[in-house]
C-alpha cells in the first residue's frame, strides 16, 4: 500500500507501508525545579527575538529534558462544583462524540461543542455522562493552540466530575510541538539529510504565540496522550496510516511504546515517530479497505475513526491547509469510505472547511 505525507519537513516521500481524568495529569520530577521551561510566557508578555539561524555545523543542541514519568505523580485540577452538571445515575455509558483536527481554531471548536450540546454558553461542560474523544492535532496553523489545550484539559476535569469524560489522542502536531520545544535546532536524521524539529514546526504552521505560552503542564499532558483507543465498536486513532502496527500488536503495547519513545530523550527516535505519524492516505486508494482491516484485525473494532487527512483531500478536491483558498471546500460532515470501514473526521478547518464534532454511531 503506497502512502504519502503532506506534513512538510518530515524527510519522506511516498513509501510502501507494510482522558484525561485526574490520573492522566502525570508530573515528572523536574516540575518543581528551575529548568528550560521556566521562561514560558503568557499573552501580552514581550518576548526576546529568536536567535538567528546558523549553518548545520554551528547547531547547538538544546537540553534533552523529556520528563521521566513516575507512577503516582499527579497534577490536581480544581473544578468548581457549581460549574458542572451533577453526576448522573449509573445507567450505562453516555453518548459518544468525536472531534476532528482543531489546529488552534478555538472559537470554531467552542461553537461546534455548543451546537452539539456538550458545553453551555459559558464554555462549561453540560453534557452529564457523555463521552467525548478528541482525535489529536490541537495546535499549529490556527491562532490559539494553547487555548485549545487549556479548554480540553478543563473539560476533562469537568466531564469527569459530571459522570462523563473528555479524552484525547496524540496527533503528529503534538509530537512536532513537543520536539520543537525539547530539541529545538538539534539536528536529526530525517532520511533526506539533516533536519530539525524547530524548522519542521515552523514550516508546518507553528505559531510563536503558542510556543511563548507553552508551559510544563501542557508538555506533560501532551506527552501522556494515548495514540490509539478502542471505544464501543470503534478504533480511534489520529492518522490514516498503518504505521501504528510498527509499535505493537495490542493497543496497550502501542501506547506504551509511544510514551516510552517520547520519554527516552532521543531526538532521532522521536523524529522517526513523528515522521511515521505524518503518513496518510493508507485507506483511500486501491487496497485501502484491506489496510483498515489490518488494523481492525489487530486492535479490534468494526470501524476506524481518524483525523489527520482533510476530507477535501480524501475526496480529491482542491484546497490549501494554510487557508489560502478563500472559497474553501464544502464539508457537510464525516466522510465514510474504504468499504464503510473508515470514518474521516478532519473537516479541513485550516482551509476554511468545517471543524467537525460528531456523535457516533452516524445516523443512517
Amino acid at each position: 500500500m503506497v502512502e504519502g505525507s503532506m506534513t512538510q519537513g518530515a524527510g519522506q516521500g511516498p513509501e510502501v507501508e507494510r482522558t484525561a481524568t485526574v490520573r492522566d495529569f502525570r508530573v515528572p520530577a523536574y516540575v518543581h525545579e528551575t529548568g528550560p521551561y521556566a521562561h514560558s510566557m503568557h499573552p501580552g508578555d514581550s518576548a526576546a527575538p529568536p536567535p538567528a539561524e546558523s549553518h548545520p555545523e554551528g547547531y547547538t543542541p538544546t537540553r534533552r529534558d523529556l520528563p521521566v514519568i513516575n507512577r503516582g505523580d499527579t497534577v490536581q485540577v480544581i473544578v468548581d462544583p457549581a460549574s458542572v452538571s451533577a453526576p448522573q445515575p449509573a445507567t450505562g455509558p453516555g453518548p459518544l462524540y468525536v472531534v476532528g483536527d482543531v489546529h488552534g481554531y478555538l472559537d470554531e471548536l467552542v461553537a461546534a461543542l455548543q451546537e452539539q450540546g456538550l458545553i453551555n454558553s459559558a464554555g462549561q461542560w453540560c453534557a452529564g455522562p457523555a463521552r467525548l474523544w478528541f482525535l489529536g492535532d490541537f495546535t499549529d496553523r490556527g491562532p490559539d493552540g494553547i487555548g485549545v489545550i487549556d479548554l480540553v484539559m478543563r473539560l476533562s476535569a469537568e466531564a469527569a466530575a459530571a459522570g462523563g469524560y473528555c479524552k484525547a489522542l496524540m496527533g503528529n502536531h503534538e509530537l512536532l510541538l513537543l520536539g520543537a520545544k525539547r530539541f529545538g535546532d538539534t539536528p536529526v536524521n530525517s532520511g533526506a539529510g539533516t533536519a530539525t524539529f524547530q524548522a519542521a514546526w515552523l514550516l508546518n504552521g507553528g505559531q510563536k504565540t503558542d510556543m511563548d505560552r507553552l508551559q510544563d503542564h501542557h508538555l506533560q499532558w501532551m506527552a501522556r496522550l494515548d495514540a490509539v483507543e478502542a471505544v464501543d465498536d470503534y478504533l480511534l486513532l489520529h492518522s490514516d496510516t498503518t504505521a501504528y502496527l510498527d509499535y505493537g500488536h495490542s493497543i496497550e503495547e502501542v501506547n506504551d511504546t509511544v510514551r516510552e519513545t517520547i520519554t527516552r530523550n532521543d531526538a532521532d527516535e522521536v523524529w522517526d515517530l513523528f515522521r511515521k505519524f505524518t503518513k496518510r492516505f493508507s485507506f483511500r486508494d486501491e487496497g485501502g479497505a484491506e489496510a483498515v482491516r489490518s488494523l481492525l484485525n489487530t486492535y479490534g473494532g468494526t470501524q476506524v475513526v481518524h483525523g489527520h487527512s482533510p476530507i477535501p483531500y480524501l475526496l480529491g478536491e482542491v484546497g490549501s491547509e494554510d487557508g489560502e483558498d478563500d472559497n474553501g471546500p464544502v464539508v457537510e460532515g464525516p466522510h465514510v469510505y474504504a468499504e464503510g470501514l473508515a470514518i474521516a473526521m478532519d473537516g479541513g478547518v485550516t482551509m476554511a472547511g468545517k471543524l467537525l464534532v460528531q456523535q457516533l454511531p452516524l445516523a443512517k
Side-chain angles (χ1 to χ4, degrees):
M1 176 67 219
V2 177
E3 167 179 52
S5 167
M6 297 186 317
T7 298
Q8 303 180 69
Q12 63 164 47
E15 60 180 80
V16 177
E17 277 208 11
R18 334 167 264 121
T19 88
T21 57
V22 169
R23 72 175 187 276
D24 294 315
F25 295 91
R26 305 285 177 159
V27 182
Y30 78 79
V31 74
H32 303 298
E33 304 173 358
T34 300
Y37 305 141
H39 304 293
S40 297
M41 303 182 68
H42 298 275
D45 293 346
S46 58
E53 293 188 6
S54 56
H55 296 291
E57 59 270 22
Y59 280 126
T60 301
T62 54
R63 177 180 174 185
R64 295 183 175 183
D65 52 356
L66 287 167
V68 176
I69 308 300
N70 296 316
R71 293 185 181 276
D73 291 341
T74 61
V75 170
Q76 298 297 325
V77 179
I78 306 301
V79 181
D80 179 4
S83 69
V84 298
S85 306
Q88 303 294 313
T91 56
L96 175 64
Y97 294 82
V98 289
V99 185
D101 298 32
V102 182
H103 283 300
Y105 285 86
L106 178 60
D107 291 344
E108 288 81 354
L109 173 61
V110 168
L113 292 172
Q114 289 176 339
E115 182 179 355
Q116 291 287 347
L118 294 166
I119 63 175
N120 60 24
S121 59
Q124 299 163 339
W125 183 265
C126 65
R131 300 169 294 158
L132 178 63
W133 274 97
F134 285 81
L135 300 179
D137 276 10
F138 302 99
T139 66
D140 303 337
R141 306 193 191 283
D144 195 0
I146 297 303
V148 170
I149 292 176
D150 284 337
L151 174 63
V152 176
M153 292 178 70
R154 176 171 61 79
L155 291 180
S156 297
E158 293 178 358
Y165 68 67
C166 170
K167 300 183 181 183
L169 296 179
M170 177 176 291
N172 58 303
H173 281 264
E174 281 68 68
L175 288 166
L176 186 56
L177 182 57
L178 282 166
K181 183 67 174 181
R182 293 170 175 175
F183 301 116
D185 285 326
T186 301
V188 294
N189 183 7
S190 71
T194 300
T196 72
F197 272 106
Q198 177 73 10
W201 174 72
L202 291 171
L203 191 62
N204 286 281
Q207 303 294 305
K208 184 179 182 298
T209 52
D210 283 345
M211 187 64 76
D212 289 344
R213 297 161 61 197
L214 189 62
Q215 299 180 40
D216 287 335
H217 64 277
H218 299 128
L219 293 163
Q220 296 151 18
W221 181 80
M222 287 190 291
R224 294 297 299 172
L225 294 175
D226 285 336
V228 187
E229 270 298 341
V231 184
D232 297 344
D233 290 326
Y234 303 101
L235 182 65
L236 308 182
L237 39 83
H238 174 69
S239 303
D240 46 325
T241 176
T242 58
Y244 296 92
L245 296 169
D246 295 343
Y247 293 95
H249 298 294
S250 70
I251 289 174
E252 182 179 11
E253 186 179 357
V254 171
N255 292 332
D256 286 347
T257 302
V258 169
R259 273 194 287 270
E260 289 166 3
T261 300
I262 291 172
T263 57
R264 270 197 295 269
N265 286 353
D266 187 289
D268 287 326
E269 279 193 325
V270 178
W271 179 268
D272 188 60
L273 180 63
F274 159 68
R275 181 181 65 83
K276 288 182 177 179
F277 272 37
T278 65
K279 295 178 180 180
R280 62 176 87 235
F281 300 147
S282 280
F283 316 150
R284 185 185 67 176
D285 301 318
E286 184 179 356
E290 286 306 310
V292 179
R293 288 189 182 96
S294 70
L295 291 169
L296 297 175
N297 291 340
T298 302
Y299 304 126
T302 59
Q303 282 182 305
V304 163
V305 184
H306 70 86
H308 190 47
S309 290
I311 291 171
Y313 288 155
L314 292 171
L315 295 174
E317 298 176 0
V318 177
S320 167
E321 279 198 285
D322 296 317
E324 296 172 357
D325 185 351
D326 292 334
N327 294 324
V330 177
V331 177
E332 300 295 340
H335 174 51
V336 181
Y337 68 117
E339 299 180 10
L341 297 175
I343 302 175
M345 282 293 301
D346 184 351
V349 66
T350 62
M351 58 179 73
K354 185 176 183 179
L355 199 160
L356 297 179
V357 178
Q358 179 66 48
Q359 184 175 355
L360 297 176
L362 299 176
K364 297 294 185 180

